[in-house]
């Protein structure tokens, strides 16, 4: 079965950086889209970044464009999200997700196309 495990969350001061990781198993690495979502307290989950594990094409939400960077390590079957210039509004539970499909170039994958989810890692910015 597919497993996605996030780590690296924590509490940081505004303006600082943090990197979260998603270690995968059961993923056909190189043939699927992966992404990062976040869910602030009392709000719905939203996609903030995605990357194709084969082509490395990416998509970012406007709210994190220029501050966050998604990357992958094929050898470790691991996806990362480097978060710079963190703001209090970035406080959320951050989730790793994977699709059975490849990413679409230039746009985010439809929400209904995300099939596998991790348990999340908490990021708190104060």
């Amino acid at each position: 079965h597919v497993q996605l495990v996030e780590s690296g969350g924590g509490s940081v001061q505004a303006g600082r950086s943090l990197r979260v990781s998603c270690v995968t198993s059961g993923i056909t690495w190189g043939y699927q889209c992966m992404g990062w979502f976040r869910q602030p307290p009392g709000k719905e989950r939203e996609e903030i970044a995605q990357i194709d594990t084969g082509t490395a094409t990416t998509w970012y939400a406007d709210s994190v464009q220029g501050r966050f960077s998604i990357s992958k390590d094929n050898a470790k079957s691991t996806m990362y999200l480097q978060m710079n210039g963190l703001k209090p509004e970035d406080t959320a539970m951050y989730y790793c997700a994977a699709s059975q499909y490849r990413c679409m170039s230039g746009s985010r994958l439809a929400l209904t196309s995300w099939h596998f989810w991790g348990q999340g890692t908490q990021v708190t910015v104060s």
Side-chain angles (χ1 to χ4, degrees):
H1 296 288
V2 171
Q3 285 190 303
L4 309 175
V5 181
E6 303 95 335
S7 64
S11 298
V12 298
Q13 296 289 331
R16 297 186 185 274
S17 299
L18 197 64
R19 188 179 74 163
V20 291
S21 304
C22 174
V23 178
T24 75
S25 62
I27 295 292
T28 306
W29 199 265
Y31 296 94
Q32 296 180 248
C33 189
M34 294 194 65
W36 285 101
F37 289 71
R38 68 183 182 186
Q39 186 168 23
K43 298 183 178 181
E44 61 186 40
R45 191 173 300 184
E46 65 169 342
E47 186 181 1
I48 54 174
Q50 67 182 40
I51 187 167
D52 189 283
T53 57
T55 67
T57 55
T58 60
W59 174 90
Y60 295 95
D62 290 344
S63 58
V64 305
Q65 183 74 47
R67 296 190 298 123
F68 291 11
S69 180
I70 190 171
S71 62
K72 62 185 180 70
D73 186 329
N74 293 352
K76 296 182 178 180
S77 297
T78 300
M79 179 179 67
Y80 305 94
L81 184 68
Q82 178 68 42
M83 301 179 285
N84 298 324
L86 284 164
K87 305 174 181 179
E89 53 261 45
D90 294 320
T91 295
M93 184 72 74
Y94 283 72
Y95 296 93
C96 173
S99 175
Q100 295 179 151
Y101 308 133
R102 301 290 295 273
C103 291
M104 297 292 101
S105 297
S107 63
R108 69 175 177 174
L109 203 62
L111 184 60
T112 54
S113 294
W114 296 100
H115 306 103
F116 310 107
W117 298 86
Q119 294 298 310
T121 185
Q122 178 68 40
V123 173
T124 302
V125 185
S126 61

